[in-house]
Amino acid sequence: MTGGRRDSPLLKSNGGGRNSRIAVAILIGVIFGCVFAFFFPHGLFVSTSAAVDSIAYKSDLLINISSCKSSERINMLKSEFMAASEKNAELKRQIKELTAKLRLAEQGKDNAQHQVLVMGEQHKAGPFGTVKSLRTNPTVIPDESVNPRLAKILEKVAVKREVIVALANSNVKDMLEVWFSSIKRVGTPNYLVVALDEEIANFCGQNNVPVYERDPDKGIDIIGRTGGNHAVSGLKFQILREFLQLGYSVLLSDVDIVYLQNPFEHFHRDSDVESMTDGHDNRTAYGYNDVYDEPSMGWARYAHTMRMWVYNSGFFYIRPTIPSIELLDRVAKRLSQEKAWDQAVFNEELFFPSHPGYDGLHASRRTLDFYLFMNSKVLFKTVWKNAQLSKLKPVIVHINYHPDKLARMKAVVEYYVNGKRDALESFPDGSN
Ligand SMILES: *[C@@H]1O[C@H](CO)[C@@H](O)[C@H](O)[C@H]1NC(C)=O
Ligand SMILES: *[C@@H]1O[C@H](CO)[C@@H](O)[C@H](O)[C@H]1NC(C)=O
């Protein structure tokens, strides 16, 4: 009757809303009654007016049905109807306000409860310099029912409930071979390839590489088989969820990465996400205060901004916590709705704070040492040309900044594993 307001849950329980709806209903009934009375004075009149009479007493608008033939009365009804409409609009506005207030109150309640859940009992703050906030969130209770087959595989493959995971289709077969050879070389047993097609599954089988073939899933499978680098990158957020639900920490790894040490000896395990960075020095990797200059503002010409190079979504260690799983869900959801680069979305979800109309994620994060978890810009532009830095032995090198990935991966193996000091010389800093 008062169409379009059913969306508000408050309407059902709010007295003001019900009254206004009844008032409008009665008015409409009365007007119908008048119309029928006018056109069918002997026919429908009796039953309609009886029906209206039976509820008319509930209303504060007392109207004599049989007098509605007079135009004076009709005008009065009209003005009363207008007044009621105005009242109705006012009530609707109040409902809107109350709904918003209620929603806020509920959110506040949820937040408070959530905080108590996470932090346990309330405490008094200790003396200056002794307080520490929480960054290590509790892990979820493992739920094997989400994927018993994967649970079995992980029981065998994982070490201390940790595992390296890479997604691969046959487009990246050659890189995958360099990838798993390097992992075998450093003696890290806990790694698993999620095979996105038969060829890769067989290839892993032949090479004694732990492999997991997913159950058929149309949407994922088409991208998995035919997708390019970025499309496959987006898939991992969906696939990783089950690993976390099963209670495992995952080192998500692209395949354009060479392992030179066991990575699990280099994590802090204090944050939801520990990620390698696209940064190339202390500032760009770990964050800095970037001053923006607007001379026309005179005295206030300098605006300070917080800057950091993005996390690399092709290599991150993620603990099985609620914020971690929420991160995966948020990124997967956005990637399914917009045409966006998964790495940009991953960073936006990790870093943007809550603001009007948006609840931020607030997961804890740690940037990995950019000399140990080295991107290819750092290696090819700086490190190998510097006498001191070239003595460092990274944990991994990720060929993220260069398109000739396979050739550079092999050169990295030559340089760090086989000690060929000139192995990197022939490669330009960039991709020219
Ligand atoms: C309604 O009008 C009829 C006829 O004009 C009259 O007999 C009756 O008393 C009126 N009722 C009220 C509630 O005014
Ligand atoms: C970068 O940070 C490290 C660790 O804090 C420090 O030892 C090093 O001197 C810094 N390098 C530069 C160039 O500032």
Side-chain angles (χ1 to χ4, degrees):
M1 280 180 285
T2 53
R5 295 294 307 167
R6 276 162 217 273
D7 51 331
S8 167
L10 257 191
L11 268 179
K12 291 195 185 79
S13 59
N14 186 291
R18 190 190 292 140
N19 281 348
S20 70
R21 289 206 299 173
I22 290 171
V24 172
I26 290 166
L27 274 169
I28 290 171
V30 165
I31 290 162
F32 267 104
C34 291
V35 170
F36 280 116
F38 189 80
F39 287 105
F40 313 100
H42 308 296
L44 286 166
F45 175 77
V46 179
S47 59
T48 312
S49 67
V52 173
D53 277 349
S54 71
I55 49 170
Y57 72 92
K58 290 179 191 165
S59 166
D60 48 345
L61 304 167
L62 212 55
I63 294 146
N64 193 330
I65 300 303
S66 52
S67 65
C68 63
K69 282 176 195 165
S70 94
S71 63
E72 213 174 283
R73 276 296 192 182
I74 289 176
N75 282 341
M76 215 183 90
L77 277 173
K78 268 187 191 164
S79 70
E80 276 171 4
F81 180 77
M82 293 291 282
S85 305
E86 270 167 34
K87 200 175 171 195
N88 193 31
E90 167 66 13
L91 284 168
K92 277 182 180 173
R93 195 188 55 74
Q94 283 181 16
I95 287 168
K96 226 178 178 172
E97 272 180 24
L98 284 170
T99 312
K101 274 185 192 158
L102 186 73
R103 204 172 289 148
L104 264 177
E106 274 173 356
Q107 270 174 19
K109 196 183 72 192
D110 281 0
N111 278 344
Q113 278 173 352
H114 183 69
Q115 296 246 323
V116 169
L117 271 182
V118 171
M119 305 176 66
E121 291 162 40
Q122 282 183 292
H123 298 283
K124 287 180 183 167
F128 176 80
T130 65
V131 295
K132 273 239 153 48
S133 69
L134 199 74
R135 69 181 69 82
T136 309
N137 289 309
T139 55
V140 296
I141 297 170
D143 180 3
E144 297 209 344
S145 69
V146 299
N147 190 334
R149 191 165 64 83
L150 179 59
K152 282 240 156 54
I153 295 174
L154 288 174
E155 249 169 58
K156 270 187 254 161
V157 171
V159 174
K160 294 186 190 157
R161 299 194 83 85
E162 295 180 322
V163 63
I164 304 175
V165 173
L167 274 63
N169 62 19
S170 32
N171 293 340
V172 297
K173 189 172 166 186
D174 295 337
M175 284 194 279
L176 182 68
E177 187 169 14
V178 180
W179 180 84
F180 66 62
S181 303
S182 74
I183 294 178
K184 288 180 178 184
R185 195 180 301 115
V186 297
T188 305
N190 46 330
Y191 67 104
L192 183 67
V193 173
V194 178
L196 298 173
D197 58 32
E198 268 314 300
E199 192 183 339
I200 285 296
N202 295 335
F203 182 59
C204 289
Q206 289 154 17
N207 287 281
N208 282 323
V209 168
V211 63
Y212 164 60
E213 282 180 276
R214 303 183 57 260
D215 291 329
D217 175 334
K218 271 195 197 115
I220 288 184
D221 289 348
I222 288 173
I223 303 170
R225 274 195 306 274
T226 58
N229 211 10
H230 281 181
V232 171
S233 258
L235 272 187
K236 65 194 170 207
F237 299 98
Q238 272 163 279
I239 293 175
L240 273 188
R241 191 186 211 277
E242 285 184 348
F243 287 78
L244 299 198
Q245 276 183 290
L246 293 171
Y248 289 86
S249 294
V250 173
L251 171 54
L252 188 282
S253 175
D254 281 354
V255 294
D256 53 348
I257 289 175
V258 176
Y259 287 73
L260 301 164
Q261 298 182 48
N262 185 341
F264 292 107
E265 287 162 16
H266 298 271
F267 297 128
H268 279 73
R269 298 176 178 80
D270 64 345
S271 303
D272 296 312
V273 175
E274 286 176 62
S275 180
M276 75 171 290
T277 170
D278 275 3
H280 54 265
D281 55 22
N282 281 0
R283 280 157 44 96
T284 57
Y286 307 142
Y288 66 107
N289 183 353
D290 189 28
V291 181
Y292 173 82
D293 186 7
E294 199 176 345
S296 68
M297 285 299 291
W299 177 76
R301 62 186 287 178
Y302 301 116
H304 293 248
T305 72
M306 297 294 106
R307 280 194 84 184
M308 217 179 86
W309 268 224
V310 290
Y311 278 3
N312 191 293
S313 61
F315 187 94
F316 58 88
Y317 174 83
I318 185 164
R319 293 177 66 248
T321 66
I322 293 294
S324 296
I325 293 171
E326 189 184 350
L327 170 68
L328 299 180
D329 288 358
R330 281 171 173 247
V331 175
K333 180 165 181 234
R334 277 188 58 192
L335 291 176
S336 73
Q337 291 171 343
E338 44 192 283
K339 257 200 146 18
W341 183 29
D342 69 286
Q343 179 157 292
V345 172
F346 177 72
N347 278 273
E348 286 169 11
E349 293 299 332
L350 265 180
F351 289 98
F352 286 166
S354 299
H355 54 256
Y358 177 79
D359 291 330
L361 174 66
H362 305 285
S364 58
R365 60 236 164 188
R366 171 180 280 279
T367 310
L368 292 166
D369 186 320
F370 70 92
Y371 284 132
L372 294 181
F373 297 87
M374 199 183 284
N375 64 57
S376 56
K377 179 157 83 181
V378 171
L379 175 61
F380 284 92
K381 230 186 117 186
T382 324
V383 163
W384 78 268
K385 299 171 185 170
N386 179 300
Q388 283 305 311
L389 295 175
S390 64
K391 288 183 196 147
L392 286 171
K393 183 144 185 178
V395 178
I396 60 135
V397 174
H398 187 179
I399 314 296
N400 62 321
Y401 269 106
H402 298 93
D404 48 348
K405 293 178 185 297
L406 185 62
R408 289 195 192 239
M409 284 175 84
K410 288 179 172 166
V412 166
V413 174
E414 286 299 313
Y415 183 80
Y416 281 113
V417 180
N418 301 330
K420 215 174 140 204
R421 301 318 289 178
D422 61 351
L424 307 178
E425 266 171 36
S426 61
F427 294 95
D429 290 356
S431 59
N432 42 324

